[in-house]
Coordinates of all heavy atoms in Angstrom, one line a residue:
M216 N 4.3 0.5 21.3 CA 3.3 1.4 20.8 C 3.6 1.8 19.3 O 4.8 2.0 19.0 CB 3.1 2.6 21.7 CG 1.7 3.2 21.5 SD 0.5 1.9 21.9 CE -0.8 2.8 22.4
F217 N 2.7 1.8 18.5 CA 2.9 2.1 17.1 C 3.1 3.7 17.0 O 2.4 4.5 17.6 CB 1.8 1.8 16.1 CG 1.6 0.3 15.9 CD1 0.6 -0.4 16.4 CD2 2.6 -0.3 15.1 CE1 0.5 -1.8 16.1 CE2 2.5 -1.6 14.8 CZ 1.4 -2.3 15.4
K218 N 4.0 4.1 16.1 CA 4.2 5.5 15.7 C 3.3 5.8 14.6 O 2.7 4.9 13.9 CB 5.7 5.7 15.3 CG 6.6 5.6 16.4 CD 8.0 6.0 15.9 CE 8.8 4.7 15.6 NZ 10.1 5.0 15.1
T219 N 3.1 7.0 14.3 CA 2.2 7.4 13.1 C 2.6 6.9 11.9 O 1.9 6.4 11.1 CB 2.1 9.0 13.1 OG1 1.6 9.5 14.3 CG2 1.2 9.4 12.0
V220 N 3.9 7.0 11.6 CA 4.5 6.4 10.4 C 4.2 4.9 10.3 O 3.9 4.3 9.1 CB 6.0 6.7 10.2 CG1 6.8 6.0 11.1 CG2 6.5 6.5 8.8
D221 N 4.3 4.2 11.4 CA 4.0 2.7 11.4 C 2.5 2.4 10.9 O 2.3 1.5 10.1 CB 4.2 2.1 12.8 CG 5.7 2.2 13.1 OD1 6.6 2.4 12.3 OD2 5.9 2.2 14.4
L222 N 1.6 3.2 11.5 CA 0.3 3.0 11.2 C -0.1 3.4 9.8 O -0.8 2.7 9.1 CB -0.6 3.9 12.2 CG -0.6 3.5 13.6 CD1 -1.4 4.4 14.5 CD2 -1.2 2.1 13.7
V223 N 0.5 4.5 9.2 CA 0.3 4.9 7.8 C 0.8 3.8 6.8 O 0.2 3.4 5.9 CB 1.0 6.3 7.5 CG1 1.1 6.5 6.1 CG2 0.3 7.3 8.3
A224 N 2.1 3.2 7.2 CA 2.6 2.1 6.4 C 1.7 0.9 6.5 O 1.5 0.3 5.5 CB 4.1 1.9 6.9
L225 N 1.2 0.6 7.6 CA 0.3 -0.5 7.8 C -0.9 -0.3 6.9 O -1.3 -1.2 6.2 CB -0.1 -0.7 9.2 CG -1.0 -1.9 9.5 CD1 -0.3 -3.2 9.0 CD2 -1.3 -2.0 10.9
A226 N -1.6 0.9 6.9 CA -2.7 1.1 6.3 C -2.4 1.1 4.7 O -3.2 0.5 4.0 CB -3.2 2.5 6.6
L227 N -1.3 1.5 4.2 CA -1.1 1.4 2.9 C -0.8 0.0 2.4 O -1.2 -0.4 1.3 CB 0.2 2.3 2.5 CG 0.0 3.8 2.5 CD1 1.3 4.6 2.5 CD2 -0.8 4.2 1.3
V228 N -0.1 -0.8 3.3 CA 0.1 -2.2 2.9 C -1.2 -2.9 2.9 O -1.5 -3.7 2.0 CB 1.1 -2.8 3.9 CG1 1.2 -4.3 3.7 CG2 2.4 -2.3 3.7
V229 N -2.1 -2.6 3.7 CA -3.5 -3.3 3.7 C -4.2 -2.8 2.5 O -4.7 -3.7 1.8 CB -4.3 -2.9 5.0 CG1 -5.7 -3.3 4.9 CG2 -3.6 -3.5 6.3
V230 N -4.2 -1.5 2.2 CA -4.8 -1.2 0.9 C -4.3 -1.8 -0.4 O -4.9 -2.4 -1.2 CB -4.6 0.4 0.7 CG1 -5.0 0.8 -0.6 CG2 -5.5 1.1 1.7
G231 N -2.9 -1.9 -0.4 CA -2.2 -2.6 -1.4 C -2.6 -4.1 -1.6 O -2.9 -4.7 -2.6
G232 N -2.7 -4.8 -0.4 CA -3.0 -6.2 -0.3 C -4.5 -6.4 -0.7 O -4.8 -7.4 -1.4
L233 N -5.4 -5.5 -0.3 CA -6.8 -5.7 -0.7 C -7.0 -5.5 -2.2 O -7.7 -6.1 -2.9 CB -7.7 -4.6 0.2 CG -7.8 -5.1 1.5 CD1 -8.6 -3.9 2.3 CD2 -8.5 -6.4 1.7
N234 N -6.2 -4.5 -2.8 CA -6.3 -4.2 -4.1 C -5.7 -5.4 -4.9 O -6.3 -5.8 -5.9 CB -5.4 -2.9 -4.4 CG -5.7 -2.4 -5.8 OD1 -6.9 -2.1 -6.2 ND2 -4.7 -2.4 -6.7
W235 N -4.7 -6.0 -4.5 CA -4.1 -7.2 -5.2 C -5.1 -8.3 -5.1 O -5.3 -9.1 -6.1 CB -2.7 -7.6 -4.8 CG -1.6 -6.7 -5.5 CD1 -0.9 -5.7 -4.9 CD2 -1.3 -6.8 -6.9 NE1 -0.1 -5.3 -5.9 CE2 -0.3 -6.0 -7.1 CE3 -1.8 -7.7 -7.9 CZ2 0.2 -5.7 -8.3 CZ3 -1.1 -7.5 -9.1 CH2 -0.3 -6.5 -9.4
G236 N -5.8 -8.5 -4.0 CA -6.7 -9.4 -3.9 C -7.9 -9.3 -4.9 O -8.4 -10.3 -5.4
L237 N -8.3 -8.1 -5.0 CA -9.4 -7.7 -5.9 C -8.9 -8.1 -7.3 O -9.7 -8.6 -8.2 CB -9.9 -6.3 -5.8 CG -10.7 -6.1 -4.6 CD1 -10.9 -4.5 -4.4 CD2 -12.0 -6.7 -4.6
V238 N -7.7 -7.7 -7.7 CA -7.2 -8.0 -9.0 C -7.1 -9.4 -9.3 O -7.5 -9.9 -10.4 CB -5.8 -7.3 -9.2 CG1 -5.1 -7.7 -10.5 CG2 -5.9 -5.7 -9.1
G239 N -6.6 -10.2 -8.3 CA -6.5 -11.7 -8.5 C -7.8 -12.3 -8.6 O -8.1 -13.3 -9.4
A240 N -8.8 -12.0 -7.7 CA -10.0 -12.6 -7.7 C -11.1 -12.2 -8.7 O -11.8 -13.1 -9.3 CB -10.6 -12.5 -6.3
F241 N -11.0 -10.9 -9.0 CA -12.1 -10.4 -9.9 C -11.6 -9.6 -11.1 O -12.4 -9.0 -11.8 CB -13.1 -9.5 -9.1 CG -13.7 -10.2 -8.0 CD1 -13.3 -9.9 -6.6 CD2 -14.6 -11.2 -8.1 CE1 -13.8 -10.5 -5.5 CE2 -15.1 -11.8 -6.9 CZ -14.8 -11.5 -5.7
D242 N -10.2 -9.5 -11.2 CA -9.7 -8.6 -12.3 C -10.1 -7.3 -12.2 O -10.5 -6.7 -13.2 CB -9.9 -9.2 -13.7 CG -9.0 -8.6 -14.7 OD1 -7.9 -8.2 -14.4 OD2 -9.5 -8.6 -15.9
F243 N -10.3 -6.7 -11.0 CA -10.8 -5.4 -10.7 C -9.7 -4.6 -9.9 O -9.3 -5.0 -8.8 CB -12.0 -5.5 -9.9 CG -12.6 -4.2 -9.5 CD1 -13.2 -3.3 -10.4 CD2 -12.5 -3.7 -8.2 CE1 -13.7 -2.0 -10.1 CE2 -13.1 -2.5 -7.8 CZ -13.7 -1.7 -8.9
D244 N -9.2 -3.6 -10.5 CA -8.2 -2.7 -9.9 C -8.9 -1.5 -9.2 O -9.2 -0.6 -10.0 CB -7.1 -2.3 -10.9 CG -6.0 -1.6 -10.3 OD1 -6.0 -1.1 -9.1 OD2 -4.9 -1.5 -11.0
L245 N -9.0 -1.5 -7.9 CA -9.8 -0.4 -7.2 C -9.1 0.9 -7.3 O -9.7 2.0 -7.6 CB -10.0 -0.9 -5.8 CG -10.9 0.2 -4.9 CD1 -12.2 0.3 -5.6 CD2 -10.8 -0.3 -3.5
V246 N -7.7 0.9 -7.2 CA -7.0 2.1 -7.3 C -7.1 2.8 -8.6 O -7.4 3.9 -8.8 CB -5.5 1.9 -7.0 CG1 -4.6 3.2 -7.2 CG2 -5.4 1.4 -5.5
A247 N -7.0 1.9 -9.7 CA -7.2 2.5 -11.1 C -8.6 3.0 -11.3 O -8.7 4.0 -12.0 CB -6.8 1.4 -12.1
T248 N -9.5 2.3 -10.7 CA -11.0 2.7 -10.9 C -11.2 4.1 -10.2 O -11.9 4.9 -10.8 CB -11.9 1.7 -10.2 OG1 -11.7 0.5 -10.9 CG2 -13.4 2.1 -10.4
I249 N -10.7 4.2 -9.0 CA -10.9 5.5 -8.3 C -10.1 6.6 -8.9 O -10.6 7.7 -9.1 CB -10.5 5.3 -6.8 CG1 -11.5 4.4 -6.2 CG2 -10.4 6.6 -6.0 CD1 -11.0 4.0 -4.7
F250 N -8.8 6.4 -9.2 CA -8.0 7.6 -9.6 C -7.7 7.6 -11.1 O -7.0 8.5 -11.6 CB -6.6 7.5 -8.8 CG -6.7 7.6 -7.4 CD1 -6.5 6.5 -6.5 CD2 -7.3 8.8 -6.7 CE1 -6.7 6.7 -5.2 CE2 -7.5 8.9 -5.4 CZ -7.2 7.8 -4.6
G251 N -8.0 6.6 -11.9 CA -7.8 6.5 -13.3 C -6.6 5.6 -13.6 O -5.6 5.5 -12.7
E252 N -6.7 4.9 -14.6 CA -5.6 3.8 -15.0 C -4.3 4.6 -15.2 O -4.1 5.3 -16.2 CB -6.1 3.0 -16.1 CG -5.2 1.8 -16.4 CD -5.8 0.9 -17.3 OE1 -7.1 0.7 -17.3 OE2 -5.0 0.2 -18.0
M253 N -3.4 4.2 -14.4 CA -2.0 4.8 -14.5 C -1.9 6.3 -14.6 O -1.0 6.9 -15.2 CB -1.2 4.1 -15.8 CG -0.9 2.7 -15.5 SD -0.3 2.2 -13.8 CE 1.3 2.8 -13.9
S254 N -2.9 7.0 -13.9 CA -2.8 8.4 -13.8 C -1.7 8.7 -12.8 O -1.1 7.9 -12.2 CB -4.2 8.9 -13.2 OG -4.3 8.5 -11.9
M255 N -1.3 10.0 -12.7 CA -0.2 10.4 -11.8 C -0.6 10.0 -10.4 O 0.3 9.5 -9.7 CB 0.0 11.9 -11.9 CG 1.1 12.3 -11.1 SD 2.7 11.5 -11.5 CE 3.3 12.6 -12.8
I256 N -1.9 10.2 -10.0 CA -2.2 9.9 -8.6 C -2.2 8.5 -8.4 O -1.7 8.0 -7.3 CB -3.6 10.4 -8.3 CG1 -3.6 12.0 -8.3 CG2 -4.1 9.9 -7.0 CD1 -5.0 12.6 -8.2
S257 N -2.7 7.6 -9.3 CA -2.6 6.1 -9.2 C -1.1 5.7 -9.1 O -0.8 4.9 -8.3 CB -3.2 5.4 -10.4 OG -4.5 5.6 -10.5
R258 N -0.3 6.2 -9.9 CA 1.2 5.9 -9.8 C 1.8 6.3 -8.4 O 2.5 5.5 -7.9 CB 2.0 6.6 -11.0 CG 1.5 6.0 -12.3 CD 2.3 6.8 -13.4 NE 3.7 6.6 -13.4 CZ 4.3 5.6 -14.1 NH1 3.6 4.8 -14.9 NH2 5.7 5.5 -14.0
I259 N 1.4 7.4 -7.9 CA 1.9 7.9 -6.6 C 1.4 6.8 -5.5 O 2.1 6.4 -4.6 CB 1.4 9.3 -6.3 CG1 2.2 10.2 -7.2 CG2 1.6 9.6 -4.8 CD1 1.7 11.6 -7.2
V260 N 0.1 6.4 -5.6 CA -0.4 5.5 -4.7 C 0.3 4.1 -4.8 O 0.8 3.6 -3.8 CB -2.0 5.2 -4.8 CG1 -2.5 4.0 -4.1 CG2 -2.8 6.5 -4.6
Y261 N 0.6 3.6 -6.0 CA 1.4 2.4 -6.1 C 2.8 2.5 -5.6 O 3.3 1.6 -4.9 CB 1.4 2.0 -7.6 CG 0.1 1.6 -8.2 CD1 -0.3 2.2 -9.4 CD2 -0.8 0.8 -7.5 CE1 -1.4 1.7 -10.0 CE2 -2.1 0.4 -8.1 CZ -2.4 0.9 -9.4 OH -3.6 0.6 -10.0
I262 N 3.4 3.7 -5.7 CA 4.7 3.9 -5.2 C 4.7 4.0 -3.6 O 5.5 3.3 -3.0 CB 5.4 5.2 -5.9 CG1 5.6 5.0 -7.3 CG2 6.5 5.7 -5.0 CD1 5.9 6.3 -8.0
L263 N 3.7 4.7 -3.2 CA 3.6 4.7 -1.7 C 3.3 3.3 -1.0 O 3.9 3.1 0.0 CB 2.5 5.7 -1.3 CG 2.8 7.2 -1.5 CD1 1.5 8.1 -1.2 CD2 4.0 7.6 -0.7
V264 N 2.5 2.5 -1.8 CA 2.2 1.1 -1.2 C 3.6 0.4 -1.2 O 3.9 -0.4 -0.3 CB 1.2 0.4 -2.0 CG1 1.1 -0.9 -1.7 CG2 -0.2 1.1 -1.8
G265 N 4.4 0.5 -2.3 CA 5.6 -0.2 -2.4 C 6.6 0.3 -1.4 O 7.3 -0.5 -0.7
L266 N 6.7 1.5 -1.1 CA 7.6 2.0 -0.1 C 7.1 1.6 1.3 O 8.0 1.2 2.2 CB 7.7 3.5 -0.2 CG 8.4 4.2 -1.3 CD1 8.2 5.7 -1.4 CD2 9.8 3.8 -1.4
A267 N 5.8 1.6 1.5 CA 5.3 1.1 2.8 C 5.6 -0.3 3.0 O 6.0 -0.8 4.1 CB 3.7 1.3 2.9
A268 N 5.6 -1.1 1.9 CA 6.0 -2.6 2.1 C 7.3 -2.8 2.4 O 7.8 -3.6 3.3 CB 5.6 -3.4 0.7
V269 N 8.3 -1.9 1.8 CA 9.7 -2.0 2.2 C 9.9 -1.6 3.6 O 10.6 -2.3 4.4 CB 10.5 -1.1 1.2 CG1 11.9 -0.9 1.7 CG2 10.5 -1.7 -0.2
Y270 N 9.2 -0.6 4.1 CA 9.2 -0.1 5.5 C 8.8 -1.3 6.3 O 9.4 -1.5 7.4 CB 8.5 1.2 5.7 CG 8.4 1.7 7.1 CD1 9.5 2.3 7.6 CD2 7.4 1.4 8.0 CE1 9.6 2.7 9.0 CE2 7.4 1.8 9.3 CZ 8.5 2.4 9.8 OH 8.6 2.8 11.1
M271 N 7.7 -1.9 6.1 CA 7.1 -3.0 6.9 C 8.1 -4.1 7.0 O 8.2 -4.8 8.1 CB 5.8 -3.4 6.4 CG 4.7 -2.4 6.5 SD 4.5 -1.7 8.2 CE 3.8 -3.1 9.1
I272 N 8.9 -4.4 5.9 CA 9.9 -5.4 6.1 C 10.9 -5.0 7.1 O 11.3 -5.7 8.0 CB 10.6 -5.7 4.7 CG1 9.6 -6.2 3.7 CG2 11.9 -6.4 4.8 CD1 10.0 -6.2 2.2
Y273 N 11.4 -3.7 7.0 CA 12.3 -3.1 8.0 C 11.8 -3.2 9.3 O 12.4 -3.6 10.3 CB 12.7 -1.7 7.6 CG 13.4 -0.9 8.7 CD1 14.8 -1.1 9.0 CD2 12.7 -0.1 9.6 CE1 15.4 -0.5 10.0 CE2 13.3 0.6 10.6 CZ 14.6 0.3 10.9 OH 15.2 1.0 11.8
F274 N 10.5 -2.8 9.6 CA 9.8 -2.8 10.8 C 9.7 -4.2 11.3 O 10.1 -4.4 12.5 CB 8.4 -2.2 10.6 CG 7.6 -2.2 11.9 CD1 7.7 -1.2 12.8 CD2 6.6 -3.2 12.1 CE1 6.9 -1.1 13.9 CE2 5.8 -3.2 13.2 CZ 6.0 -2.2 14.2
A275 N 9.4 -5.2 10.6 CA 9.3 -6.6 11.0 C 10.7 -7.1 11.4 O 10.8 -7.9 12.4 CB 8.7 -7.4 10.0
A276 N 11.7 -6.8 10.7 CA 13.1 -7.3 11.0 C 13.7 -6.6 12.2 O 14.5 -7.3 12.9 CB 13.9 -6.9 9.8
T277 N 13.3 -5.5 12.6 CA 14.0 -4.8 13.7 C 13.2 -4.9 15.0 O 13.7 -4.7 16.1 CB 14.2 -3.3 13.4 OG1 12.9 -2.7 13.2 CG2 15.2 -3.2 12.2
K278 N 11.8 -5.3 14.9 CA 11.1 -5.4 16.2 C 11.1 -6.8 16.6 O 11.1 -7.8 15.9 CB 9.6 -5.0 15.9 CG 9.4 -3.6 15.4 CD 9.8 -2.6 16.5 CE 9.5 -1.2 15.8 NZ 10.0 -0.2 16.7
K279 N 11.1 -6.9 17.9 CA 11.2 -8.3 18.6 C 10.0 -8.6 19.4 O 9.5 -7.8 20.0 CB 12.5 -8.4 19.3 CG 13.8 -8.4 18.4 CD 15.1 -8.6 19.1 CE 16.1 -8.6 18.2 NZ 17.3 -8.9 18.7

């Protein structure tokens, strides 16, 4: 069963993946559009997505 932190990390990785998909396909950065280009909140979102990705690597490596 997933823990809360697992679900939050998964949600952040999905948000990051969708955002990168939009950037690649349409040159549209949804996070920057919502929170402002490289604003403090945008930077925090990007950092949290990166940390979530690192956590998901750990999660994938330790779960069987």
Side-chain angles (χ1 to χ4, degrees):
M216 203 57 154
F217 285 111
K218 293 186 262 180
T219 302
V220 70
D221 299 337
L222 293 174
V223 170
L225 179 61
L227 285 168
V228 169
V229 168
V230 166
L233 291 173
N234 193 59
W235 275 110
L237 288 170
V238 169
F241 305 110
D242 196 28
F243 178 73
D244 188 342
L245 183 62
V246 173
T248 300
I249 294 172
F250 298 114
E252 192 167 328
M253 292 315 286
S254 69
M255 183 60 83
I256 295 173
S257 290
R258 293 175 66 91
I259 290 169
V260 170
Y261 294 134
I262 290 167
L263 289 174
V264 168
L266 290 173
V269 171
Y270 178 79
M271 293 306 290
I272 292 168
Y273 166 77
F274 179 81
T277 60
K278 300 295 179 187
K279 295 183 179 188

